[in-house]
């Protein structure tokens, strides 16, 4: 996942874009970038790290102009350690384009070959975002028919051509030199994108962003989610045009947005992230009443932060006390030298600390949003026992994560997923829990889907192995697993191990 934002305003947008990236920072902490336009000239600054680390006053002064885009990066395709892969990306042929992208193309390698051999375009990085940019640039060249002039019809035709070629998940914001801001979303709507506006005495300002929270915080009003396969075009004068550029396909937003990725104060595809997590707690409580009534639970404790909503509602429905048993250190930096599991466990303890009085002599139900590797869960359970817990049960608001995600969430290979080849009891034994309770997938779908019946399907591949784009083959998954295995080894060596459960987030 990544965070993207685009603004067309009546006044300078550099501060707006920076503030937007900080609001969306939970979507990516690896790199950040901002591009603006002044007249016919682009200005850009990007680099590795958090937005607060990348941008200084001198950089902000150079980002002049009343429209622009921003990106905070969480590495999926490409390298987590290559600063050259920070976004936005730029091409100048046949038109000046800047692009920022959230998602992952599943046919990136095929498109690279096509563009190198047929379109005569060369990629400078391994990022699929650069691939998407070059596909769009080529389609603009085709749609303009050599005229090298752009209008609405040409741009929308180019987006339609991009949809025909690009497979996978993508939400993108694009600056078109001399014209304005383009935003579009993949035909399944896997990754989120929302449109907002702000009325000023000088006219209407527009914003597009990954989550509604950015629109709210920056003083804009949400208009609506950009529909799957839809493109929104805002020229530099603030004129808005909208076009459906892809044929109807199953509408399938990513379920993991609601489970973990998005901020709870966001509304995605008409569904409140907070309310969906509350309902996850309700359904999980009903399962415990049905199947685990023999457990004697004294207290429910969340693993901060994104499991709080579910844990509170679960405790209420069970009639059990809810307590905050862990304190999270929000100011710890990265642990740069982490040669093995022992040091990684130390990192967990630096980020979380148990309050002994909430555990001593109690049967504790820990609630997490999801369990990926299990390394963090194992250490947290150890902490609970050391704090004096009599028994420790673990509950996950999400089903077992058993399959690779290929649509923009860099989950590890199946060999690293603790539940890939284990049932709940085996996972519980592996992490040291006295019982392991998972949400049922159908209950998860109801918890989220009940809030907007118009969304009839969700992208749940990490839970059920069903890939909605229909182009993910076993061979592709094998290649992904091989690549992620190598990346994981490099992360272990360099101390940059992904941990979805302890990322700075929602």
């Amino acid at each position: 996942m990544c965070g993207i934002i685009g603004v067309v305003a009546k006044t300078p947008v550099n501060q707006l874009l920076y503030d937007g990236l900080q609001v969306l920072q939970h979507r990516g902490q690896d790199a950040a970038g901002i591009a603006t336009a002044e007249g016919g000239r682009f200005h850009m600054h990007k680099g590795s790290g958090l937005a607060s680390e990348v941008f200084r006053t001198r950089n902000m002064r150079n980002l002049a102009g009343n429209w622009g885009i921003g990106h905070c990066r969480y590495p999926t395709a490409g390298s987590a350690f290559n600063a050259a892969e920070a976004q936005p990306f730029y091409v100048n042929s046949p038109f000046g384009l800047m692009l920022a992208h959230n998602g992952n193309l599943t046919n990136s390698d095929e498109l690279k070959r096509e563009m190198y051999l047929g379109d005569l375009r060369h990629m400078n990085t391994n990022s699929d975002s650069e691939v998407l940019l070059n596909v769009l640039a080529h389609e603009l060249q085709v749609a303009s028919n050599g005229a090298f002039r752009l209008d609405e019809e040409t741009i929308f035709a180019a987006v339609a051509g991009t949809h025909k070629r690009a497979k996978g998940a993508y939400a993108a914001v694009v600056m078109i030199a001399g014209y304005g801001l383009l935003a579009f979303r993949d035909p399944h709507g896997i990754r989120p994108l929302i449109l907002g506006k702000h009325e000023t005495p000088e006219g209407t300002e527009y914003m597009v962003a990954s989550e509604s929270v950015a629109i709210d915080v920056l003083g804009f009003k949400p208009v609506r989610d950009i529909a799957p396969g839809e493109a929104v075009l805002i020229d530099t004068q603030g004129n808005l045009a909208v076009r459906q550029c892809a044929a109807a396909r199953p509408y399938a937003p990513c379920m993991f947005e609601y489970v973990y990725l998005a901020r709870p104060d966001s509304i995605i595809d008409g569904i409140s992230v907070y309310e969906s997590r509350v309902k996850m707690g309700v359904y999980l409580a009903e399962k415990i009443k049905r199947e685990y009534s023999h457990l004697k639970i004294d207290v429910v404790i969340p693993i901060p932060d994104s499991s709080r909503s579910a844990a509170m509602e679960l405790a209420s429905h069970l009639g059990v006390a809810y307590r905050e048993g862990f304190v999270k250190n929000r100011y710890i930096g990265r642990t740069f030298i982490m040669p093995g599991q022992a040091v990684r466990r130390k990192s967990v303890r630096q980020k979380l600390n148990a309050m002994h009085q909430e555990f001593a002599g109690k049967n504790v139900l820990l609630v997490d949003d999801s369990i990926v590797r299990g390394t963090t869960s194992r250490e947290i359970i150890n902490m609970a026992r050391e704090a004096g817990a009599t028994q420790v049960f673990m509950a996950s608001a999400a089903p077992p994560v058993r399959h690779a995600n290929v649509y923009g969430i860099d989950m590890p290979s199946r060999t690293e997923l603790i539940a890939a080849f284990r049932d709940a009891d085996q996972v519980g034994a592996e992490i040291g829990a006295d019982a392991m309770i998972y949400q049922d997938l159908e209950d998860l779908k109801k918890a989220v889907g009940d809030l907007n019946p118009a969304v009839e399907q969700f992208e749940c591949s990490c839970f059920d192995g069903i890939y909605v784009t229909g182009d993910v083959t076993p061979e592709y998954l094998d290649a992904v697993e091989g690549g992620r295995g190598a990346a994981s080894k490099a992360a272990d060596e360099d101390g940059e191990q992904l941990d979805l459960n302890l990322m700075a987030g929602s």
Side-chain angles (χ1 to χ4, degrees), residues 18-341:
Y18 175 81
D19 292 344
L21 291 185
Q22 290 211 304
V23 174
L24 296 172
Q25 190 75 82
H26 61 284
R27 300 189 66 88
Q29 301 93 42
D30 183 71
I34 291 175
T36 61
E38 182 184 34
R41 184 178 179 185
F42 286 148
H43 307 283
M44 180 173 66
H45 181 72
K46 60 183 181 177
S48 297
L50 304 174
S52 60
E53 298 168 339
V54 172
F55 298 99
R56 296 288 183 265
T57 301
R58 63 182 180 276
N59 309 130
M60 298 296 287
R61 288 197 187 108
N62 293 333
L63 293 170
N66 293 354
W67 61 290
I69 61 176
H71 184 270
C72 53
R73 180 173 187 259
Y74 159 84
T76 51
S79 170
F81 315 109
N82 186 353
E85 296 188 7
Q87 297 185 39
F89 283 113
Y90 171 70
V91 295
N92 65 358
S93 174
F95 307 98
L97 302 176
M98 285 271 195
L99 176 142
H101 160 228
N102 172 32
N104 192 53
L105 301 184
T106 53
N107 65 336
S108 178
D109 290 342
E110 175 187 338
L111 288 171
K112 277 184 186 177
R113 286 192 296 272
E114 286 180 9
M115 283 187 289
Y116 181 74
L117 297 174
D119 302 348
L120 304 181
R121 287 182 170 271
H122 175 71
M123 305 295 110
N124 292 314
T125 71
N126 291 319
S127 172
D128 62 331
S129 302
E130 189 184 14
V131 173
L132 182 63
L133 171 61
N134 278 274
V135 170
L136 177 64
H138 178 77
E139 293 302 318
L140 279 169
Q141 182 175 335
V142 171
S144 65
N145 200 26
F148 297 104
R149 299 187 63 177
L150 292 176
D151 55 26
E152 277 183 28
E153 294 302 319
T154 301
I155 294 170
F156 287 137
V159 175
T162 301
H163 284 319
K164 290 176 182 176
R165 295 181 69 181
K167 308 297 182 187
Y170 49 92
V173 287
V174 184
M175 298 173 70
I176 304 174
Y179 197 98
L181 177 70
L182 169 68
F184 58 93
R185 192 178 180 193
D186 73 77
H188 292 278
I190 298 172
R191 300 262 71 86
L193 196 61
I194 187 169
L195 173 69
K197 69 177 182 178
H198 178 228
E199 300 295 345
T200 74
E202 293 78 24
T204 304
E205 300 178 329
Y206 288 98
M207 175 185 295
V208 291
S210 293
E211 294 185 33
S212 65
V213 64
I215 289 170
D216 294 335
V217 169
L218 298 179
F220 284 64
K221 299 294 184 185
V223 175
R224 63 177 177 84
D225 294 280
I226 294 173
E230 186 177 52
V232 170
L233 183 61
I234 308 155
D235 68 23
T236 54
Q237 304 306 308
N239 299 305
L240 174 72
V242 178
R243 182 77 55 86
Q244 187 65 34
C245 295
R249 300 180 197 177
Y251 189 179
C254 174
M255 181 62 83
F256 223 76
E257 292 282 353
Y258 304 98
V259 168
Y260 173 76
L261 300 180
R263 269 182 49 156
D265 44 347
S266 283
I267 297 174
I268 295 176
D269 292 305
I271 298 169
S272 163
V273 175
Y274 173 77
E275 289 185 34
S276 70
R277 290 176 185 170
V278 168
K279 288 180 73 67
M280 290 174 205
V282 174
Y283 281 103
L284 191 53
E286 292 303 315
K287 178 172 182 177
I288 291 172
K289 289 179 181 178
R290 251 186 354 257
E291 302 178 23
Y292 295 88
S293 59
H294 59 283
L295 299 182
K296 305 302 181 185
I297 302 169
D298 297 319
V299 63
V300 172
I301 293 177
I303 297 172
D305 287 315
S306 51
S307 64
R308 279 199 175 99
S309 308
M312 289 181 71
E313 198 67 12
L314 184 152
S316 175
H317 275 256
L318 291 181
V320 175
Y322 170 90
R323 292 288 186 270
E324 292 283 342
F326 293 105
V327 176
K328 188 173 185 179
N329 182 352
R330 302 179 185 281
Y331 305 103
I332 187 170
R334 292 180 176 180
T335 303
F336 291 99
I337 302 173
M338 299 178 67
Q341 293 288 347

